[in-house]
Every structure is written in structure tokens, then in C-alpha cells.
Amino acid sequence: MFDFDMLGLAPKLLTALKGAGLTQPTPIQNQAIPLALEGHDILGLAQTGTGKTLAFGLPLVDHLLAEPGKPLPKTAKALILAPTRELVNQIAESLRVLTAGTKLRVATVVGGQSIGKQIAMLFRGTDILVATPGRLIDLMDRGAVDLSTVRHLVLDEADQMLDLGFIHALRKIAPRLGSPRQTMLFSATMPKQMEELSQAYLTNPRRVQVAPPGKAADKITQSVHFLDKGAKPAKLREILSRDPGALTLVFARTKHGAEKLMKGLVADGFNAASIHGNKSQGQRDRAIKAFRAGEVTTLVATDVAARGIDIPGVAYVVNFDLPEVADNYVHRIGRTARAGREGEAIAFCAPEEAGLLRDIQKLMKIDVPVASGSMPHGEGTAAPGRNKGGPRRRGRGGPAGGGQAAQAPKPAKRRRPRRPRAA
């Protein structure tokens, strides 16, 4: 199948897609949509930036258009759970494009906003409720929402939800949902816990996988700089100065580190902003809006706050700190090269992060090419470039260290990484 017209979608949806300039489905959409339209539970695995939202959103809206009747007060017909406020808002924005011109309502509930206003909104009932688990449970405990009419459940970025400890929240929410129901679970990676989750909440699911779990998009050029921790700020400034107009997303490990890094960049004349768990929802929304519009060209973020950023114009992702959970590296670099574009992912690796790099390479089954610096013991040889073939993009992050392969030594014993708090 090569266009949406051949997937069996309702005419209103096809009109909405054409109005948005969308004519051809991505591979994950092409495989998942027909199965979801038939009512099957779906376990969808695809790289970030490949169109998972429409893969579940289109069949969901199609089903709801065919269901008669308005939602009763405090009820919802469909529930979508996502780990962060930003991702909830992103999903809702995409769904509202699909439901424009219909009577379907899309509502969101997230933390950091007035719960009184959310209670009033839910009292009217909604067709699709997009929520973070924590705030949804708060509303359930207050008797503000009745989930017994939910016949469609979607878990988006399910692996991240597990990493943030939302499994306990899911166990509280699931028994309140209606039955029978269709459940769709989408993710970019497939940890063991998620396999167990699919067995517990999905019934005879159809597995849709367009790339091996843990694999980055082919159009992302990756490289790593080996350097001491204290040299990272100077290297970041050097990289940013090479292409000052490009949108660059920089990942830091902690909230304090992200804020300190951002303030240092601003003091040095760079157009930067930050998003992390200590920022209010309004501050985070304004920062992302400015970044999307190009008013801010460098956005410093933590993993929790950055999940859900879908900005096609992001040219570069810089891992200022390597993530302590290898799966998060895949999600981080997936913020670039979205919707078929090219992008570049640059990582900094201090000696104490060698074990983290080793974990990342084991997950992705590649050696990240070296752009500069010397890896410990000088092992391996590989030229900088893409994961598989293709020329490097011109600009930042080019080779400067002889093209060694980043084969880090076995790490010293580390403390078990702390799980990040939910945004």
C-alpha cells in the first residue's frame, strides 16, 4: 500500500490528512492501521520519528466516528496514556487535526495545571482522553472521571512509562476500564518488562515491527567525542558556533545540570533555553514554542522533559551527558532526522562514562564512530559516518580523531542508576 486512500479509512479522515499535506503512510502506519481497523490489539515497535501517533490515532478516530452517541458526563470512550506532559500535548495536537470538522472531542489532563479546570472539563465528558497516569489517578480518586466506558486504550512510549515507574499507576487504572476493549501499545524499544506488560494487558496482539528494537533511524549520523568532563562546555560551544542558526537539542543528565549549562550558554551569547522537571508547565511550553519557531536555537533538556518533543527542524542532538539508561540514548537521538529528514547526533564521553557508552553500543549493536579525542587503550578502527553507509553531513561534529571506533573498556562497578521522576 502506498497511500492513505488504500487503507480503508473514513472519508472524513482522508480529507483531514490531505488538508495536512499527508498522502503516504509510513511503514509503521502502513502495517498497523489495517490491523487496528479490524479491531486487533497491537504491539507496535518502531523508531522515534516514524509516525507512531498516526499509526494508532487514525484507526482510533475511525472507530469513534462509527460509534453513535455523545459521551456521558465524566466519561471517555478512549484513553491514551503517555509519560510526560509534553507528549500528551503533542498527541492531542495531532488528534485534533484528525477530528477537525467532526463532533469528536479531545481532552488532556496532566500535572502542573489547574485540577479544578480539569474537573470541570471532564464533567462534560469527552471522546478521547489523553493523560499522564499520575494526574489521571488524582482525578479518579476525586471521583471526577469514570473510565468504565473506555473501549480503546493506547499506551504510548510504553518503555519510557515503565522506566519512570508508571507500571504501578497502570495497575490502578486498568481495572477501571471498560471491557471488552481494544488495546494498542507502541514503543521504540522492547525491554523485558514491556514484553511482560504486553502479555498482561493485550489479548492475542498483532506485533508490528518495522525496525529492530534499539535501532536508530538510518538517516542519523552518529559520532562521539572522548574528552574529560571539564572540557565538555568548551567543546559544546565550539560545536554550536559552527552552525549557530541550526536547531540543536542538548541533553543533560540532571535538572540542576541542565539549568547551569543553559545559563552558561546564555552568558556567553548563545540563544538558549531549558526544559526540565523544575520548570513550570508554562515555562516549558513557552521554551518549546520558541524553539519550534527558531526564536531559540539551543534547547537544553533532561530526558523526562524532552520526551514528546516532535520538531522536524531539529538538526542536531548533543548528548552532553550520556544517559544512564541505554534505551534513552535511542529516544534522545530520535529527536532529529524526523519525518524522513537527515540529522546528526553527537555524544560526549568522559572517562567515567565509558561503561555507559559500552551499554549503548551493545543495545544498538554498532560502534559509534569517533569524531575526536582518544578512546581508552586506543582499540578499534572505524571511520566516522552513518550507522550503515551514506555520506556524512557537512557541518558540525566532523572527524577529528583519526576515525577510531568507540569501543569502550569494561566499566568499573557503578551504583545502580536512579530512575528519573516523572514530569
Side-chain angles (χ1 to χ4, degrees):
M1 295 184 183
F2 297 97
D3 56 59
F4 285 112
D5 291 337
M6 302 176 69
L7 295 181
L9 294 165
K12 288 184 178 180
L13 281 175
L14 295 176
T15 300
L17 289 168
K18 290 179 180 178
L22 300 172
T23 57
Q24 294 184 326
T26 65
I28 187 67
Q29 294 164 2
N30 195 37
Q31 294 185 41
I33 290 173
L35 294 172
L37 287 175
E38 293 174 1
H40 295 288
D41 284 7
I42 302 292
L43 174 58
L45 296 169
Q47 303 151 348
T48 56
T50 54
K52 293 193 294 294
T53 301
L54 287 186
F56 64 75
L58 282 166
L60 174 60
V61 173
D62 189 280
H63 283 304
L64 294 178
L65 287 173
E67 294 180 9
K70 296 180 180 180
L72 298 172
K74 298 185 179 183
T75 69
K77 294 182 178 181
L79 174 64
I80 301 173
L81 294 175
T84 68
R85 307 167 193 173
E86 282 74 22
L87 185 53
V88 164
N89 293 335
Q90 180 66 43
I91 293 170
E93 182 180 336
S94 298
L95 293 177
R96 286 179 181 128
V97 172
L98 303 180
T99 58
T102 74
K103 294 182 179 180
L104 297 182
R105 258 184 300 189
V106 180
T108 62
V109 291
V110 298
Q113 295 182 355
S114 169
I115 196 167
K117 291 182 179 179
Q118 292 175 355
I119 290 173
M121 174 268 298
L122 288 173
F123 184 78
R124 299 192 297 270
T126 186
D127 294 281
I128 304 173
L129 179 60
V130 193
T132 52
R135 176 50 62 93
L136 180 60
I137 288 177
D138 287 344
L139 291 163
M140 290 165 54
D141 291 342
R142 293 169 182 247
V145 60
D146 176 4
L147 300 178
S148 63
T149 58
V150 170
R151 292 294 186 271
H152 303 275
L153 172 65
V154 177
L155 304 178
D156 194 22
E157 300 286 12
D159 55 341
Q160 179 74 349
M161 293 182 70
L162 290 173
D163 186 52
L164 292 174
F166 285 136
I167 183 63
H168 303 294
L170 183 59
R171 288 171 180 156
K172 291 182 180 180
I173 294 169
R176 303 281 195 95
L177 304 178
S179 181
R181 64 176 178 272
Q182 180 186 43
T183 301
M184 293 184 278
L185 187 156
F186 282 80
S187 178
T189 57
M190 187 69 176
K192 182 179 179 180
Q193 269 188 303
M194 203 179 85
E195 189 80 61
E196 296 170 355
L197 182 72
S198 67
Q199 294 173 3
Y201 294 100
L202 278 68
T203 302
N204 299 321
R206 298 297 182 92
R207 180 169 175 144
V208 178
Q209 182 173 330
V210 298
K215 186 179 183 296
D218 291 331
K219 293 189 176 183
I220 300 176
T221 299
Q222 297 183 62
S223 62
V224 60
H225 295 264
F226 285 101
L227 72 177
D228 290 333
K229 182 177 180 180
K232 287 184 178 184
K235 175 59 72 174
L236 177 62
R237 285 156 174 75
E238 174 190 328
I239 290 172
L240 293 176
S241 297
R242 293 176 189 170
D243 194 357
L247 296 185
T248 303
L249 183 57
V250 181
F251 282 98
R253 186 174 297 127
T254 67
K255 295 177 285 188
H256 174 73
E259 189 68 9
K260 180 180 178 181
L261 181 58
M262 180 274 294
K263 289 181 177 178
L265 290 173
V266 171
D268 287 343
F270 291 94
N271 189 5
S274 66
I275 57 172
H276 50 73
N278 284 346
K279 295 279 188 177
S280 70
Q281 188 61 46
Q283 289 174 319
R284 286 156 64 164
D285 290 344
R286 287 190 293 272
I288 291 176
K289 182 178 180 181
F291 187 56
R292 186 188 299 274
E295 298 167 3
V296 167
T297 54
T298 301
L299 185 64
V300 186
T302 56
D303 285 303
V304 171
R307 187 62 67 97
I309 293 179
D310 184 8
I311 301 175
V314 174
Y316 304 97
V317 170
V318 178
N319 282 281
F320 187 86
D321 299 312
L322 290 180
E324 293 182 324
V325 178
D327 286 340
N328 285 348
Y329 177 85
V330 179
H331 290 292
R332 286 181 177 190
I333 69 175
R335 301 304 104 192
T336 187
R338 299 183 75 81
R341 294 172 172 82
E342 292 188 347
E344 187 166 344
I346 303 166
F348 295 166
C349 183
E352 58 268 27
E353 295 175 299
L356 301 179
L357 180 63
R358 177 185 174 89
D359 292 342
I360 290 166
Q361 294 184 135
K362 182 179 179 180
L363 172 69
M364 301 184 71
K365 296 180 175 60
I366 64 167
D367 289 335
V368 179
V370 177
S372 73
S374 298
M375 68 176 182
H377 307 308
E379 297 175 0
T381 55
R386 261 188 239 290
N387 303 343
K388 289 187 179 180
R392 276 187 59 82
R393 296 176 66 213
R394 297 175 62 185
R396 300 190 257 168
Q404 300 161 309
Q407 295 178 347
K410 291 184 178 181
K413 187 175 181 180
R414 304 190 310 276
R415 292 179 301 172
R416 180 177 294 178
R418 293 180 298 171
R419 295 189 184 281
R421 292 190 301 156

